[in-house]
Amino acid sequence: MEKIELINKKFLKKDLILTIAKYQIYYQMALGVLVKETCFDKSEIEKKLKQLQLDIDVENVLNVMIELIDSFYNDDEFDIIFEDNIKINAFLHCLKDFIEKNDDLTNKEKVHASYKEKIMNDSFFDAKMQLHFDDELKHRVTYWEELITEKIADEIKHSALDMVKGKKS
C-alpha cells in the first residue's frame, strides 16, 4: 500500500482514536509494572505513580504513527508490524520517561537495559497484561472519542499527509 493511502486510513478518526487509546493503555501498563517492580515499599506504589505524573504525549504518538508508515508502508505484513511497533514504542517511551523522571531510582542504566531487553525480546507483555488491555480498550476509546472530533482528526490527517509528502522531495 502507498504511504498516502495508509495515512488516509490510519488517520481517520476511528483508527486514530483506536491507536492513541492502545498506545496510552500500553504506556500506563508499562508504568504500573515499572513502578511496582522498582518500588521497594509496596505501600508507596500509588504515591509514586501520582508523584511521577507520567502519561503519553499525543504528538509523540502521531509522530510514531507517521514514522511507522514511512518506514514499513511497502511491507506485506504492515498491519502486524504497525500494531507491534505501537506497543513497543509505548513501552520504550514509558521506560524512558520513567527513568528520566524517577529521581529515587538507583542504577538507572541497569534498570533501563534490563527492561529494554525484556521489551525488545517480547517478554515484557504477558497474558495478564493482555487481559487488562482488552478490558480497558473500550473505556480508553470512549475517552478519546470525546476529545478528538472529526475536524481535529481531519486536521491531524492533513498534517500527516504534508509531512509524508515533504519527505518525498
Side-chain angles (χ1 to χ4, degrees):
M1 202 178 274
E2 291 296 317
K3 290 180 192 179
I4 304 301
E5 290 176 74
L6 284 169
I7 294 284
N8 283 323
K9 178 180 183 264
K10 291 292 185 186
F11 283 81
L12 287 173
K13 180 182 175 188
K14 182 181 174 190
D15 286 359
L16 183 62
I17 287 170
L18 185 59
T19 300
I20 294 170
K22 287 177 179 180
Y23 196 100
Q24 186 178 39
I25 297 168
Y26 289 134
Y27 186 101
Q28 291 298 325
M29 284 192 309
L31 179 60
V33 169
L34 292 168
V35 169
K36 185 177 175 187
E37 291 183 1
T38 61
C39 194
F40 294 111
D41 186 352
K42 300 304 176 198
S43 66
E44 296 289 315
I45 292 172
E46 288 299 318
K47 182 179 172 186
K48 185 56 140 178
L49 285 168
K50 284 184 175 104
Q51 175 194 353
L52 291 172
Q53 293 185 334
L54 292 175
D55 201 355
I56 63 168
D57 175 357
V58 175
E59 187 174 334
N60 188 27
V61 179
L62 302 174
N63 287 331
V64 166
M65 291 172 67
I66 292 167
E67 286 299 317
L68 291 174
I69 290 168
D70 197 42
S71 299
F72 300 107
Y73 71 95
N74 61 356
D75 197 297
D76 291 338
E77 301 286 320
F78 175 80
D79 288 328
I80 294 167
I81 292 168
F82 185 86
E83 290 299 319
D84 284 347
N85 276 276
I86 288 297
K87 178 172 52 177
I88 291 167
N89 274 280
F91 290 159
L92 291 174
H93 281 131
C94 179
L95 177 60
K96 178 183 167 283
D97 293 349
F98 176 76
I99 297 288
E100 287 176 1
K101 294 266 182 140
N102 192 347
D103 296 330
D104 301 331
L105 188 64
T106 56
N107 294 325
K108 288 186 176 196
E109 296 83 17
K110 186 178 177 183
V111 170
H112 184 270
S114 171
Y115 282 99
K116 183 176 181 182
E117 183 179 339
K118 287 179 184 180
I119 292 166
M120 298 310 288
N121 291 336
D122 201 22
S123 60
F124 182 76
F125 189 71
D126 60 20
K128 187 176 177 183
M129 290 171 87
Q130 182 65 55
L131 289 173
H132 176 73
F133 176 87
D134 295 340
D135 286 345
E136 185 64 25
L137 187 57
K138 184 178 178 184
H139 302 291
R140 284 289 95 196
V141 166
T142 301
Y143 171 82
W144 286 104
E145 283 175 337
E146 293 176 13
L147 296 176
I148 299 176
T149 64
E150 210 52 70
K151 182 180 182 207
I152 291 171
D154 200 46
E155 289 172 3
I156 292 170
K157 180 172 70 174
H158 285 293
S159 178
L161 286 167
D162 289 345
M163 288 177 74
V164 169
K165 288 176 184 174
K167 288 185 177 187
K168 281 184 174 181
S169 322

